[in-house]
Amino acid sequence: MFNANTITRFQQLETPFYYYHLDVLRRTLEACKAASSKYGFHVHYAMKANFNPKVLEMIKDYGFGADCVSGNEVKAAIDCGFGRENVVFAGVGKSDKEINLALDADIFCFNVESVQELLVIDELARAKNKIAKIAIRINPNVDANTHHFITTGLDENKFGVNIWQLQDVADTLRRCPNLEFLGIHFHIGSQITDLEVYRTLCTRINEMQDWFEGQGFPVKVLNTGGGLGINYYNPDNDISDFEGYFNVFKQFLNVKPGQEVHFELGRALVGHCASLISRVLYVKNGQKKNFLVLDAGMTELIRPMLYQAYHRIENISRKSELGVSGSKIDEQPTQDLLKYDVVGPICESTDCFQKDVELPESFRGDLIAIRTAGAYGEVMASSYNLRDRVGSVYSED
Ligand SMILES: *Cc1c(COP(=O)(O)O)cnc(C)c1O
């Protein structure tokens, strides 16, 4: 992934920064586009995963829609050039200001998460003399089989309307003249690698759409959400199984004539397209532990500290010295590997990327790549400790 030229380029740059492999992004988008258009499926990009301007621009150019979770995201999507008819807006706590912004923008659909929110959108739409198009986000109580910090579709989660509240939703819809019901929406979690989970979701969606039709509400849109996972352990094998994923829905979702099927993918589209590049500031050899202290920490990439997430960590300076850059680290001749706790500079004990990482002996100034950091990486950067804003560098500059 990092050839000698790239590493020479990195050596001249201030670290830390996110390095965007734009060719990886392009190949991923192409694969997703090909697999989804085979069945006429619509894909919205969940832009909270990464709203780096170049990344957004490229995704827009491939014709994806935008899935937004704040008023500012709605605005950024439209400013970037995503068509307003392709913008959807979810979120358990949309403020009046955000709802008004989205009403003014004439977006495609609000994914509504409670009865109270229905009433608020109806009232705000009426004040503007508009009809708001809405889908109901249903919490289907399906276990996504993923880390419990990133599961969203269980009864104990705050998201969506629970099944026992649906009668109230239907009764409310009948009383809200400024709402137009488009369909039903689901999003059961993130980093889902077991496709069986989606099969269970399909069963639940089929039941729910029959229920709404039985109540007299035709369902035009089935929005299945996102969550497709990626392989963090093998960063160079970088495209998700989009074929397999869409095929599950093709097989198990009961799609009626004229219905649209929508998806909201974030991680699977952008996860592989970036690495966080950092330098070793200090090597601390203790009695029990060796520490590599990097110039990047939880302020640049918080996933390991927030969700116990795994990212592959590579010393790319030592790789190039061995003359094996570009080949997979697994194929390197076994050399003397040492174990390090790879930590950041932030004043928090949790500021550790990973414990006991096996790396070649490492030295001050070595470049460290933290791989597969394109999703929920740069977007979660913070200025805690009054840190500088993390930079971004592109493969094609
Ligand atoms: C975050 C989010 C997504 C995307 O999730 P990924 O795991 O990144 O695919 C989709 N839909 C909604 C409503 C979300 O909040």
Side-chain angles (χ1 to χ4, degrees), residues 46 48 67 69 90 137 185 187 190 226-228 264-267 376:
K48 74 173 185 290
D67 167 41
V69 290
R137 176 168 181 176
H185 171 241
H187 175 63
S190 201
L228 177 62
E264 300 169 337
L265 293 177
R267 186 190 312 272
Y376 308 104

Side-chain angles (χ1 to χ4, degrees), residues 288-301:
K288 290 193 171 158
K289 287 274 185 189
N290 296 319
F291 294 97
L292 281 192
V293 184
L294 306 187
D295 62 4
M298 62 194 283
T299 41
E300 286 68 45
L301 177 66

